[in-house]
């Protein structure tokens, strides 16, 4: 049943009750409102309440009615359905009443109405609401400033919405609106400018407070209307004129052709709007007026140099006048560089003449020179053709840097920034002088100057032609000044900037950082403690710590008192900042292990944290595997004794849950574990090994190369296990529960799982790499010595695999085999400590190259195991099986085993 005007009082009472603190009153009211939403007339009743016609309406009730009204209108016009309680007749009624109510005194409700009208207009104009703009134009005839302001509020929102419709017919409609609105809006804007200026002049001469307040209310509305007019003019210019570029009646153009057309049209328009003389005038205005520091700027600098520096350099360019002017200057210069380069150089030389290097007073000439230096810094790439940097530096810049008068901080800071911008033009002996000049500015009394020097030194030390010898000369002063700067600054951005500079120094200093390790450790600890809760700063710190640990190398244990607590905090998945810090903390952990001379107890204690990391996600799997490898190789039996259970948990989680790519990353660790601890490790990781058996026997790799590789790798691990711990393998494969589980999954296997693996090894040998093939062949050779039913029936296939691997191994050397003598002194580090990352990598290489599988002779093993097989099965049975081998295959076997 439809709601009518007579239901408005009842609706008002329901809204009041829905705001009640008493749940017994509020709940029935909320239910009633929900039921009314689908009834025709609901929105009309709400609009009456919002308009407060005939009611002493509470403001909170009006606000709630506005929310319900907005939601209902939005739902209907979004879905275009009548099921939301709005008939076509009511829709017409609402459109008219929305426009009637735009003269709302409360600016926030007024704004919501404007937004609603704009959303509806986007869908209904012009077909269902053709008189929208004519109705708005009628209301503009009123002399009432408030009404006019509200109309322009609606116009701006509506024009902004309509501008997003890009079909040709919509663009034509927009162009028609522009033709009617532009002139009126432009004239009103000009009129408002005059009105505002006149009123401000009059108000400044009045002393009657009440009169001033009364007039100022209207003046504020006029000012706001002036701004709305300006926004509307901008919108109409951007969207209200048909393109000259896209001709709808012509043949479709290619993307490249359209780009050329757009470019040509834009260029022609710019030439008309900005001829050469205007461009040069604009350039002069930007530099001489908008680049100049004001008295207020200098006052802010004096009050807080640190904040001033960041506001000038890090603020979004659209938020402040000077950065916005600088952005405009850069764009204009890009397009008119040939005309403007001489202009900039001329202003620069004029300013330098007005303000000599030894000047101490803040004069107009000094401020112009600062502005000219700003311009020269932004467009260095073109000015280098007009200006010799060497002459400029020696003749002026170096002298100005050495002028330590407090007022000269303006120029010293600008030169500090400029040197970073002109980096590509700083050549020869001048480069060293620039390094020392900037390092000297790190010691300036003004923090804004020091931060500017810090920024430019980062650029210089990261530049391709950077000289490490020059850095080493400056290094002691750089460290001292950085540490002092971190004590003096307070703001987050400053700390990040100094930390970035320290990271750059660490990257280039190498082991030259060792004498400063203690100071750096203290610095890192201080920054970490002070940055609690500031994840972005702590991420920067973790990255710097990685570089620091790499630089100090095997001296890193000297910093463990600082490093280990930070690591514990970062790799603990239960810590509040784990989401932000975990990735960088895991990378730092990896770096710490890589540079540790040994796995001491403090590092061993960290390993259980890896369980939580892997359980949480596999995002850091590759790094996790590297960490595990370091613990296995360098932690030895002590690591396995203390953390075997945690390691088993990790491997079981990985093997059971990661994809093929993840498995290929993780499986080498299991292989390494069995290689180094063939007796101790397999019982610990039996669950993971059982999952590998599932993978091997599950024949799901057809047309799936990655799954084939995974099966081949898993099969090689099980082959190694059989060779190196035959008894445990037998126990593992003979567990009835394992066989039952495999059969329940639908995998077709023999009742003897070992025979199923034999079939897999024989079938997959061609998919395996060279070392895996050897593992397969050795496992098959071991099979010949076991009491396995029907294995003698597979003798032909087993010997065929072994023969192929032996013959192939003689022809092809693996990459590891051709690496030369791994004990050569060329692998050792050259530092005085005898340690280096290279020597640690050597240890890894030695461990892997000492693999019994690599060292063993397959020929000798097969020869011995054939004898054992004959003894086990009897000569008659054995000879009968041998006799079934094809003569050519048997001849190859004899050749492989060097049997005459």
């Amino acid at each position: 049943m439809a709601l009518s005007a007579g239901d408005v009082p009842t609706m008002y009472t329901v809204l009041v009750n829905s705001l009640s603190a008493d749940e017994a009153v509020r709940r029935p009211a909320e239910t009633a409102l929900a039921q009314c939403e689908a009834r025709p007339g609901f929105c009309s009743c709400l609009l009456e309440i919002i308009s407060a016609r005939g009611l002493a309406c509470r403001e909170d009730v009006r606000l709630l009615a506005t929310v319900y009204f907005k939601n209902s209108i939005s739902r209907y016009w979004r879905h275009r359905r009548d099921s939301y309680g709005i008939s076509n007749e009511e829709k017409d009624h609402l459109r008219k009443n929305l426009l009637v109510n735009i003269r709302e005194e409360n600016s926030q409700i007024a704004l919501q109405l404007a937004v609603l009208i704009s959303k509806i207009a986007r869908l209904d104009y012009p077909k269902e609401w053709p008189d929208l703009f004519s109705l708005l134009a009628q209301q503009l005839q009123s002399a009432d400033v408030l009404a006019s302001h509200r109309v322009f509020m609606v116009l701006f929102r509506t024009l902004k919405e309509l501008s997003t419709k890009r079909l040709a017919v919509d663009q034509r409609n927009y162009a028609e609106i522009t033709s009617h609105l532009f002139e009126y809006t432009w004239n009103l804007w000009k009129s408002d400018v005059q009105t505002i200026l006149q009123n401000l002049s009059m108000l400044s001469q009045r002393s009657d407070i009440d009169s001033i307040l009364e007039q100022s209310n209207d003046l504020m509305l006029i000012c706001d209307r002036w701004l709305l007019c300006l926004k509307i003019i901008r919108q109409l210019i951007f969207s209200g004129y048909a393109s000259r570029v896209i001709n709808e009646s012509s043949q479709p153009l290619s993307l490249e052709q359209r780009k050329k057309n757009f470019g040509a049209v834009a260029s022609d328009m710019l030439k008309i709007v900005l001829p050469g003389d205007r461009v040069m005038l604009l350039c002069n205005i930007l530099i001489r007026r908008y680049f100049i520091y004001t008295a207020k700027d200098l006052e802010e600098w004096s009050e807080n140099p640190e904040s001033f520096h960041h506001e000038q350099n890090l603020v979004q360019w659209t938020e402040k006048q000077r950065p916005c002017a600088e952005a405009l200057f850069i764009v204009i210069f890009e397009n008119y560089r040939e005309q403007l380069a001489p202009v900039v150089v001329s202003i620069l030389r004029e300013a330098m003449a007005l303000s000599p290097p030894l000047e101490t007073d803040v004069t107009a000439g000094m401020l112009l020179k600062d502005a000219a230096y700003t311009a020269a810094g932004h467009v260095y790439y073109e000015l280098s053709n007009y200006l010799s940097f060497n002459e400029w530096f020696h003749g002026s810049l170096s002298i100005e840097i050495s002028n330590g008068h407090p007022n000269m901080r303006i120029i010293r800071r600008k030169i500090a920034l400029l040197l970073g911008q002109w980096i590509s033009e700083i050549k020869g002996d001048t480069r060293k002088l620039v390094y020392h000049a900037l390092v000297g500015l790190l010691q300036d009394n003004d923090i804004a100057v020091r931060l500017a020097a810090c920024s430019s030194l980062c650029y210089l030390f990261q530049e391709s032609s950077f000289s490490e010898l020059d850095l080493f000369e400056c290094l002691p002063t750089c460290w001292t000044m950085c540490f002092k700067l971190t004590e003096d600054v307070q703001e987050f951005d400053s700390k990040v900037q100094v930390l970035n500079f320290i990271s750059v120094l660490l990257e280039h200093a190498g082991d030259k950082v060792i004498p400063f390790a203690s100071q750096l450790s203290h610095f890192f600890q201080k920054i970490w403690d002070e940055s609690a809760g500031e994840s972005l700063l702590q991420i920067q710190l973790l990255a710097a710590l990685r570089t620091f640990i790499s630089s100090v190398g095997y001296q890193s244990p000297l910093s463990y008192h600082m490093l280990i607590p930070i690591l514990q905090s970062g790799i603990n998945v239960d810590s509040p900042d784990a989401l932000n810090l975990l990735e960088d903390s895991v990378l730092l952990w990896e770096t710490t292990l890589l540079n540790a001379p040994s796995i001491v107890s403090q590092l061993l204690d960290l390993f259980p944290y890896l369980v939580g990391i892997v359980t949480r996600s596999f995002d850091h799997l590759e790094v996790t595997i590297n960490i595990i490898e370091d613990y296995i190789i360098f932690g030895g039996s002590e690591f396995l004794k203390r953390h075997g259970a945690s390691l088993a948990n990790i491997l079981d989680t990985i093997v059971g849950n990661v994809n093929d790519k993840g498995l290929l990353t993780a499986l080498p660790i299991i292989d390494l574990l069995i290689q180094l601890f063939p007796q101790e490790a397999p019982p610990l990781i039996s669950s993971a090994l059982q999952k590998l058996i599932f993978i091997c026997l599950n024949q799901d790799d057809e047309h799936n190369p990655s799954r084939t590789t995974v099966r081949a790798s898993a099969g090689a691990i099980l082959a190694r296990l059989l060779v190196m711990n035959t008894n445990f393998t037998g126990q593992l494969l003979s567990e009835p529960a394992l066989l039952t589980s495999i059969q329940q999954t639908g995998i077709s296997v023999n009742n003897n799982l070992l025979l199923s693996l034999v079939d897999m090894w024989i079938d997959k040998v061609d998919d395996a790499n060279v070392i895996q093939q050897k593992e397969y062949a050795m496992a098959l050779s071991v099979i010949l010595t076991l009491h396995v039913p029907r294995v003698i029936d597979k003798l032909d296939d087993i010997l065929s695999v072994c023969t192929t691997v032996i013959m192939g191994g003689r022809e092809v050397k693996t990459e590891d085999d051709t690496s030369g003598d791994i004990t050569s002194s060329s692998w050792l580090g050259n530092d005085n400590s005898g340690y280096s990352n290279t020597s640690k990598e050597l240890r890894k290489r030695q461990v892997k190259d000492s693999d019994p599988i690599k060292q063993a002779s397959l020929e000798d093993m097969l020869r011995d195991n054939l004898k054992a097989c004959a003894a086990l099965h009897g000569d008659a049975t054995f000879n009968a099986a041998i006799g079934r081998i094809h003569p050519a295959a048997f001849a190859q076997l004899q050749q492989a085993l060097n049997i005459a």
Side-chain angles (χ1 to χ4, degrees), residues 280 332-343 382 386:
M280 288 189 282
I332 292 173
F333 193 94
E334 280 285 335
N335 291 279
Y336 300 92
R337 59 177 65 187
E338 291 182 3
Q339 298 100 306
L340 295 184
V343 175
E382 185 67 26
Y386 298 82

Side-chain angles (χ1 to χ4, degrees), residues 11-263:
M11 184 65 67
Y12 179 81
T13 303
V14 174
L15 287 168
V16 170
N17 291 341
S18 70
L19 293 170
S20 172
D22 185 350
E23 188 173 353
V25 176
R26 187 178 71 253
R27 284 295 177 86
E30 290 175 343
T31 303
L33 283 171
Q35 293 171 347
C36 288
E37 280 188 281
R39 295 175 64 183
F42 177 66
C43 288
S44 296
C45 288
L46 290 174
L47 192 58
E48 293 293 324
I49 294 170
I50 294 169
S51 307
R53 293 175 184 166
L55 290 170
C57 185
R58 281 167 37 185
E59 193 59 34
D60 58 344
V61 176
R62 291 184 68 200
L63 184 60
L64 181 63
T66 302
V67 172
Y68 272 99
F69 180 81
K70 182 178 178 181
N71 290 342
S72 296
I73 290 288
S74 298
R75 280 200 299 268
Y76 171 75
W77 261 280
R78 182 168 66 247
H79 295 284
R80 312 290 288 173
R81 297 179 187 147
D82 290 334
S83 58
Y84 289 101
I86 306 177
S87 64
N88 288 333
E89 294 78 12
E90 186 179 3
K91 192 167 65 167
D92 292 334
H93 171 72
L94 286 172
R95 288 198 199 99
K96 293 175 183 177
N97 278 277
L98 280 169
L99 293 179
V100 169
N101 283 284
I102 61 173
R103 194 194 180 287
E104 168 60 53
E105 293 191 9
N106 185 303
S107 61
Q108 290 300 316
I109 293 175
L111 178 59
Q112 291 192 26
L113 286 174
V115 171
L116 274 175
I117 292 170
S118 68
K119 299 292 184 184
I120 295 171
R122 190 182 192 284
L123 295 170
D124 286 4
Y125 179 83
K127 287 187 178 179
E128 297 184 41
W129 204 357
D131 56 350
L132 168 61
F133 288 98
S134 61
L135 291 172
L136 288 172
Q138 289 174 15
Q139 298 200 39
L140 283 175
Q141 306 307 314
S142 169
D144 187 341
V145 176
L146 177 62
S148 174
H149 175 274
R150 297 302 191 243
V151 170
F152 274 99
M153 184 183 286
V154 172
L155 278 173
F156 171 64
R157 293 283 171 180
T158 303
L159 290 169
K160 189 174 181 180
E161 278 291 331
L162 294 178
S163 70
T164 63
K165 301 175 71 173
R166 305 310 300 158
L167 293 178
V169 64
D170 297 317
Q171 292 188 41
R172 285 197 296 270
N173 289 333
Y174 204 98
E176 184 179 352
I177 295 169
T178 300
S179 66
H180 295 296
L181 277 180
F182 188 87
E183 186 174 356
Y184 179 86
T185 308
W186 173 249
N187 289 329
L188 181 61
W189 179 81
K190 291 193 294 183
S191 172
D192 281 348
V193 170
Q194 296 300 320
T195 303
I196 291 168
L197 293 175
Q198 291 170 5
N199 276 270
L200 287 174
S201 176
M202 290 170 56
L203 287 174
S204 66
Q205 300 172 20
R206 299 284 293 272
S207 58
D208 183 356
I209 298 297
D210 292 335
S211 177
I212 289 175
L213 290 175
E214 183 180 345
Q215 279 191 263
S216 65
N217 290 332
D218 277 351
L219 182 58
M220 288 299 295
L221 280 174
I222 293 173
C223 289
D224 204 21
R225 183 179 67 187
W226 169 85
L227 182 59
L228 285 169
C229 286
L230 188 62
K231 290 180 178 180
I232 289 171
I233 291 167
R234 178 179 180 273
Q235 194 69 59
L236 293 175
I237 290 173
F238 276 7
S239 306
Y241 293 96
S243 172
R244 288 178 283 160
V245 179
I246 301 175
N247 186 346
E248 293 168 18
S249 63
S250 65
Q251 293 294 321
L253 302 174
S254 68
L255 178 61
E256 289 303 316
Q257 187 60 50
R258 277 186 286 165
K259 285 181 180 179
K260 289 180 181 178
N261 288 358
F262 275 120

Side-chain angles (χ1 to χ4, degrees), residues 814-884:
T814 65
E815 184 179 342
D816 288 343
D817 294 331
T818 59
S819 61
D821 181 5
I822 62 169
T823 61
S824 166
S825 60
S826 64
W827 283 83
L828 299 175
N830 295 321
D831 58 323
N832 295 331
S833 67
Y835 296 108
S836 70
N837 288 346
T838 305
S839 62
K840 195 157 191 180
E841 288 302 314
L842 169 63
R843 169 63 179 145
K844 286 186 180 182
R845 187 65 172 271
Q846 288 173 329
V847 166
K848 293 179 180 180
D849 282 337
S850 64
D851 180 4
I853 297 289
K854 284 187 176 181
Q855 301 296 327
S857 167
L858 177 57
E859 297 96 315
D860 294 342
M861 174 182 279
L862 181 58
R863 196 181 293 111
D864 293 341
N865 288 348
L866 282 172
K867 293 176 182 176
C869 181
L872 179 65
H873 294 280
D875 288 341
T877 302
F878 178 77
N879 290 333
I882 289 290
R884 290 194 291 272

Side-chain angles (χ1 to χ4, degrees), residues 690-706:
Q690 288 182 1
K691 290 175 181 176
L692 294 187
I693 296 171
F694 272 85
I695 290 172
C696 288
L697 300 182
N698 189 6
Q699 300 178 11
D700 60 349
D701 60 334
E702 188 175 358
H703 309 303
N704 188 341
S706 64

Side-chain angles (χ1 to χ4, degrees), residues 582-838:
L582 187 59
E583 180 177 357
D584 291 276
S585 298
V586 170
L587 290 170
L588 175 59
W589 190 1
E590 178 189 28
T591 302
T592 301
L593 292 172
L594 182 63
N595 290 278
S598 62
I599 304 294
V600 296
S601 180
Q602 295 162 287
L603 294 177
L604 279 175
D605 291 341
L606 295 176
F607 188 80
Y609 287 106
L610 209 56
V611 178
I613 293 171
V614 172
T615 302
R616 179 171 179 166
S617 78
F618 300 117
D619 293 343
H620 318 291
L621 183 61
E622 188 171 345
V623 181
T624 297
I625 295 303
N626 292 339
I627 289 172
I628 294 173
E629 182 184 66
D630 280 343
Y631 274 108
I632 291 173
I633 292 178
F634 303 108
S637 57
E638 177 64 20
F639 159 68
L640 202 64
K641 188 186 303 180
R642 287 178 59 176
H643 299 302
S646 296
L647 177 61
N649 188 334
I650 292 169
L651 293 177
D652 191 47
T653 301
I654 292 173
V655 175
N657 296 284
V658 298
N659 58 19
D660 290 345
K661 182 180 179 181
L663 278 172
L664 292 174
T665 302
L667 291 181
I669 285 297
I670 301 177
D671 194 62
L672 178 67
L673 195 60
I674 296 172
Q675 174 199 327
L676 296 181
F677 307 103
Q679 303 304 316
E680 303 92 333
L684 286 173
I685 61 171
S686 60
S687 178
L689 291 172
Q690 288 182 1
K691 290 175 181 176
L692 294 187
I693 296 171
F694 272 85
I695 290 172
C696 288
L697 300 182
N698 189 6
Q699 300 178 11
D700 60 349
D701 60 334
E702 188 175 358
H703 309 303
N704 188 341
S706 64
R707 174 51 49 161
T708 298
T709 306
V710 168
R711 285 190 68 199
S713 300
I717 291 172
L718 295 174
R720 174 185 292 280
L721 181 65
L722 179 64
V723 173
M724 301 187 72
N725 194 336
T726 307
N727 290 337
F728 176 79
T729 307
Q731 295 170 14
L732 181 68
L733 293 171
S734 62
E735 289 185 14
L738 176 61
L739 177 61
T740 303
S741 298
I742 291 174
Q743 290 174 333
Q744 286 176 347
T745 61
I747 299 175
S748 177
V749 293
N750 295 311
N751 288 329
N752 187 309
L753 290 179
L754 185 55
L755 278 178
S756 296
L757 281 178
V758 168
D759 291 337
M760 181 268 174
W761 288 326
I762 292 170
D763 181 55
K764 288 296 174 186
V765 68
D766 291 334
D767 297 320
N769 61 36
V770 174
I771 188 63
Q772 290 172 348
Q773 288 180 343
K774 188 174 183 183
E775 288 173 320
Y776 282 18
M778 292 180 77
L780 291 171
S781 173
V782 170
I783 289 288
L784 297 176
T785 67
L786 303 179
H787 287 280
V788 180
R790 302 193 307 279
V791 74
I792 197 71
D793 298 334
K794 300 182 181 292
L795 184 63
D796 187 357
D797 291 332
I798 290 173
L799 292 179
S800 175
V801 170
C802 292
T803 301
T804 301
V805 172
I806 292 171
M807 300 297 288
R810 291 174 181 172
E811 298 174 3
V812 181
K813 289 188 175 181
T814 65
E815 184 179 342
D816 288 343
D817 294 331
T818 59
S819 61
D821 181 5
I822 62 169
T823 61
S824 166
S825 60
S826 64
W827 283 83
L828 299 175
N830 295 321
D831 58 323
N832 295 331
S833 67
Y835 296 108
S836 70
N837 288 346
T838 305

Side-chain angles (χ1 to χ4, degrees), residues 292-302 322 367 409:
I292 300 285
Y293 283 134
T294 64
K296 186 173 184 297
D297 293 328
L298 297 178
E299 183 182 346
E300 290 176 357
W301 188 342
S302 298
R322 184 178 295 102
L367 295 177
R409 62 183 177 166

